[in-house]
Amino acid sequence: MTTSTAAPTPPGADATPPGPATPSPAAPGPAATARSAFRGSRPVTLVAMCLGAMITFLQITATVSALTTIQRDLRVDPTTLVWIPSAYTLMVASVVLSAATLGNRYGRKRVFGVGVIAMIVGAAVVASAPTVGWVIAGQLVAGLGGALILPNSLAILGATFTDPHRRTEVITAWSAASGIGLAVGPLIAGALLRHHQWHSVYLSTIALGVVTLVVAVLGVAESRPSAARLDVPGLLLGTVAIAAAVYALIQGGKDGYTSPVVMAAWIVAVVALVGFVLVELRASAPMLDVRLFRSASFSAVMVVGAVSLFGFTGVAILLVLFHERAQALSPLDTGWRMLVLFGAYVLVAFGAGRAIRRTGFKAPLTLGLVLGAVASFALAAQGPTTSFGHRWALFALFGAASALVVAPATAAALASVAPAQAGMASGAVNAARQVGSVLGSSLLGTLLTTTMVADLPGRLAAHQVGEPTRSAVQAAVAAGASGGQPLPDPVRAALAEALTSGVQAGLRINGVVFLVTAVLALTLIRNRPHQH
């Protein structure tokens, strides 16, 4: 900002010296005015950011819906199969905290756009993948895109909508949009799988990505709070710490959590985490101000954020696999059933923002966790022959309960910090959410697999399946192979019961985790936005 040093013009004097008249700048025309009004308008910004949230979650459920077909086509063993959805969330969890810092440095809109492009490229790689290795590689690229999109979309909304109550409503709308992405994923995947190969499922991500990119480029104003120097040590250490920990969690389910490789990953994670904390405490402009965790409320919100996606993603995967494998439903029929869960999530999430104005954060978070636990335990009591007519209400209950947790948890994180720290808080809560999502898909998926393999011999024996059929079935399940010919009724029934036992184990674990977290939310989380 410059200050003029010219002497003031005396009253009544002509401020313009004699000479030729200088033409004044032309006023902007209607088209330029319309473009200026369109770019940076709050509704357009909200639409663009919601589309970004949709695309990141569409990738998750579209992949889950196609898992059975991918496994059969590429002959993927169950433990490797876990890596297909987990690779995406691994990358998101590892990079999402750093992505917020990159947005602050280089522009949130710009980094958001790069993320959308990465999502498109990753989906294209998966769509053309000839092997499971290429599928996982494409998922990693798409995960990088999701990591760049999530914190920067939240930070853009936080900077655009500064009123705390209005911002809470907008963030819950953003969370509801993620539920829409989750809801349409199984339906789109099911419709495409009915007529095409599994590769076509990822065309939906490409199409939505293009639309998102166009709206963002034309309608969103750049948001860059500062041009501070990058915290490179913090960025690298934070990424390594999260990536090593998530890798250990996923790979531990396959090799055992005490195997040499997994133990080495745990050690790397701990060393990197300690180094990250020390570096951030001494940094003048830290990537994450770890002093925020001195607030018991902020720390509890991070746990709740992780648990919310742990349950929502993990239970969704369990239920999709239950329908497709235990009940032998098509992906499209499964998608219609899952729409009850995701539809309830979207409807309740839209209303959660206004409800928080009256109740504060504590009531919806605690109630949502308790109701989610109730729904999980009730679903765990259902068997493979239970009709959907007896279960749909529990699907709706779990979806509504998740909306009471996921949306307010994100808003509570941003309400716990000063507006200048919104990008930092959005990165932290998204990192927590994505770590929870990884835990949900990997740990509950691994529990499903191990419980099924351990339970299968007894189920086969109970249905009087003799040798050598029994050994052949067990070997095929362990290898992830599935024959093209129909299975005998006793074998099919045994497989359905064994898989159901794995699903039930995962649902019970989720119920316990939700109940414990409900106590944490009730006792520690600040009920109202902090006044700064």
Side-chain angles (χ1 to χ4, degrees), residues 66 69 73 127 189 192-203:
T69 308
D73 187 29
L192 291 172
L193 289 171
R194 174 168 287 187
H195 304 289
H196 306 283
Q197 292 184 321
W198 60 264
H199 305 77
S200 64
V201 168
Y202 295 90
L203 298 179

Side-chain angles (χ1 to χ4, degrees), residues 137-314:
Q139 286 284 84
L140 289 171
V141 175
L144 175 62
L148 296 175
I149 290 171
L150 286 170
N152 288 291
S153 61
L154 259 182
I156 288 172
L157 291 178
T160 304
F161 299 87
T162 54
D163 177 71
H165 293 297
R166 180 60 177 151
R167 183 170 61 179
T168 296
E169 294 176 0
V170 167
I171 291 172
T172 52
W174 178 89
S175 297
S178 68
I180 295 175
L182 290 168
V184 300
L187 293 177
I188 294 175
L192 291 172
L193 289 171
R194 174 168 287 187
H195 304 289
H196 306 283
Q197 292 184 321
W198 60 264
H199 305 77
S200 64
V201 168
Y202 295 90
L203 298 179
S204 58
T205 299
I206 297 174
L208 183 59
V210 171
V211 173
T212 303
L213 190 62
V214 171
V215 175
V217 168
L218 297 179
V220 178
E222 184 57 276
S223 171
R224 182 185 298 173
S226 68
R229 182 171 52 88
L230 275 180
D231 175 19
V232 176
L235 188 148
L236 294 177
L237 288 169
T239 301
V240 170
I242 296 176
V246 172
Y247 174 85
L249 289 169
I250 298 173
Q251 195 65 21
K254 178 180 180 180
D255 298 336
Y257 291 101
T258 58
S259 67
V261 172
V262 174
M263 289 300 295
W266 282 123
I267 294 172
V268 170
V270 171
V271 171
L273 178 61
V274 172
F276 175 79
V277 171
L278 294 176
V279 166
E280 297 305 280
L281 285 173
R282 298 176 181 177
S284 57
M287 182 177 73
L288 174 64
D289 187 354
V290 295
R291 296 174 184 85
L292 291 174
F293 289 93
R294 292 176 179 174
S295 165
S297 178
F298 183 82
S299 299
V301 168
M302 295 300 106
V303 175
V304 171
V307 169
S308 67
L309 264 289
F310 172 90
F312 198 45
T313 305

Side-chain angles (χ1 to χ4, degrees), residues 13 37 42 76 94 229 267 332 334 400 468 472:
R42 290 186 172 187
V76 185
S94 302
R229 182 171 52 88
I267 294 172
L332 184 57
T334 299

